[in-house]
Amino acid sequence: MLKGRLGLETARIPHADRHGLLWLSRGELCVVDGCLHFLRGRNSLTPLMDQIPHQAVSTILLGPGSSVTHDALRLLARHGTLLAAVGEDGVRSYTALPLLPDRSDVARRQAELWSNPRRRISVARQMYALRLGEVLPHRDLDTLRGIEGSRVKNFYRLMAEKHGISWKGRHYDRAHPDATDLPNQAINHAATAVQAAAAIAVQSLAALPQLGFIHENSGQSFVLDIADLFRDTVTLQIAFTAARRAQQVGDTIDKLVRREATAVFRKQQLIGAMIDRIKQVLRMDEASHGAGDDRDA
């Protein structure tokens, strides 16, 4: 067997040091000479093959019209690179393979906090404090959601004014995500990218995506919790910047969002920041030192 065949070497770059997301569609993800490649136009006279720096990205979003080989799955798994199947333009996420890190401390701490009603609302209040910039006195989750919702509406308006965008309110039809105005489409695309980054952060720590402290009904509830912590500073910044850019150039909004997301993720080292934020909200420092867990946020 050739050295490096299927990526069996031991090198692995931490996700905090990787670049983020890579979108691919309409091709085959395969392994050639021990390296990951994406082959497009296999049946054409001029097929194109690009080598994929799988150790330098945290996740590959594989769009419609694509396939993946067994060798490629083994290579990605060995290096802890996430592969997710997404819809057209990355608007929907269908499935993703786990990163399978060899640790359980974060999951055990998360389950401990989530299973205790008093600790659970304490973590939720801390998350709202991080998002709203203040600790609210309320301990009812529905009340906290209502307060946050009204502030988000105002923030949408302020962001639109800042970027010179006409804003008519937040509208999203899951069945027809493109049947809305440009700013709302941009938010949809940006939210998908940020949620993908949050999924990487959650899985890289072996946290439990199902156990959310604010979101409850989704199998990715904790992922949505973490993504929302970066909505104002990342998601909406990407979305409204791309929407403004769309008024100046002829590129599609999904392409502009992806381009902006790539730059922002790299500049802010987003996945690394999300990993740190997860440890913060789960109070991992207290767990490691045996500090009191009952303290409110």
Side-chain angles (χ1 to χ4, degrees):
M1 181 178 292
L2 295 174
K3 183 178 180 180
R5 173 63 176 161
L6 299 183
L8 296 180
E9 65 275 11
T10 58
R12 181 180 296 184
I13 300 174
H15 283 275
D17 298 329
R18 301 193 191 191
H19 293 306
L21 314 177
L22 179 65
W23 278 267
L24 299 173
S25 63
R26 293 175 175 79
E28 180 184 76
L29 195 62
C30 58
V31 174
V32 179
D33 295 331
C35 298
L36 190 67
H37 288 75
F38 192 65
L39 176 62
R40 292 170 290 163
R42 173 186 287 277
N43 298 322
S44 70
L45 296 176
T46 57
L48 299 175
M49 180 178 290
D50 299 311
Q51 185 170 336
I52 306 301
H54 58 279
Q55 294 191 61
V57 296
S58 285
T59 192
I60 294 174
L61 303 181
L62 202 58
S66 300
S67 61
V68 58
T69 67
H70 184 273
D71 280 0
L73 291 174
R74 292 179 63 186
L75 186 67
L76 294 172
R78 180 64 187 84
H79 290 283
T81 303
L82 186 66
L83 178 67
V86 299
E88 189 72 37
D89 299 330
V91 173
R92 294 184 178 181
S93 179
Y94 297 118
T95 187
L97 303 175
L99 294 178
L100 300 176
D102 187 19
R103 64 184 299 173
S104 66
D105 57 327
V106 175
R108 287 185 285 110
R109 175 65 172 175
Q110 181 184 358
E112 176 188 5
L113 295 173
W114 184 88
S115 61
N116 184 301
R118 184 156 59 93
R119 294 181 182 180
R120 184 178 179 184
I121 191 64
S122 177
V123 173
R125 292 179 67 226
Q126 182 186 14
M127 286 184 166
Y128 277 116
L130 289 170
R131 289 159 64 172
L132 302 177
E134 62 177 312
V135 178
L136 299 176
H138 312 282
R139 297 180 182 276
D140 178 73
L141 200 54
D142 288 336
T143 301
L144 291 169
R145 288 180 179 131
I147 294 172
E148 192 261 352
S150 64
R151 295 195 184 186
V152 166
K153 289 181 180 179
N154 186 54
F155 192 75
Y156 281 140
R157 180 181 58 79
L158 293 175
M159 287 289 292
E161 292 178 357
K162 175 182 176 181
H163 289 83
I165 301 294
S166 175
W167 180 250
K168 300 178 181 178
R170 180 72 173 119
H171 305 289
Y172 179 42
D173 183 350
R174 291 184 180 276
H176 304 90
D178 294 329
T180 184
D181 58 24
L182 207 60
N184 275 280
Q185 289 185 45
I187 293 173
N188 295 345
H189 292 299
T192 297
V194 174
Q195 287 168 19
I200 296 165
V202 168
Q203 293 194 44
S204 67
L205 287 175
L208 304 172
Q210 299 89 348
L211 301 188
F213 294 88
I214 295 175
H215 294 83
E216 297 178 327
N217 297 323
S218 169
Q220 297 290 312
S221 292
F222 192 54
V223 171
L224 297 175
D225 281 356
I226 300 304
D228 275 357
L229 294 177
F230 295 83
R231 177 168 52 193
D232 294 353
T233 58
V234 178
T235 305
L236 297 185
Q237 292 287 348
I238 292 171
F240 282 99
T241 298
R244 181 182 61 187
R245 184 65 175 161
Q247 297 177 342
Q248 305 167 348
V249 299
D251 287 339
T252 59
I253 189 64
D254 61 284
K255 182 182 294 185
L256 292 170
V257 168
R258 290 200 296 268
R259 189 178 301 156
E260 182 65 19
T262 299
V264 170
F265 286 9
R266 182 180 295 114
K267 180 179 180 180
Q268 298 195 19
Q269 297 183 315
L270 181 61
I271 293 172
M274 287 178 164
I275 289 172
D276 290 339
R277 191 57 58 87
I278 291 171
K279 294 178 180 179
Q280 178 184 1
V281 299
L282 295 182
R283 303 166 186 171
M284 292 303 298
D285 57 339
E286 294 179 12
S288 62
H289 291 90
D293 297 332
D294 293 336
R295 185 177 64 193
D296 285 343

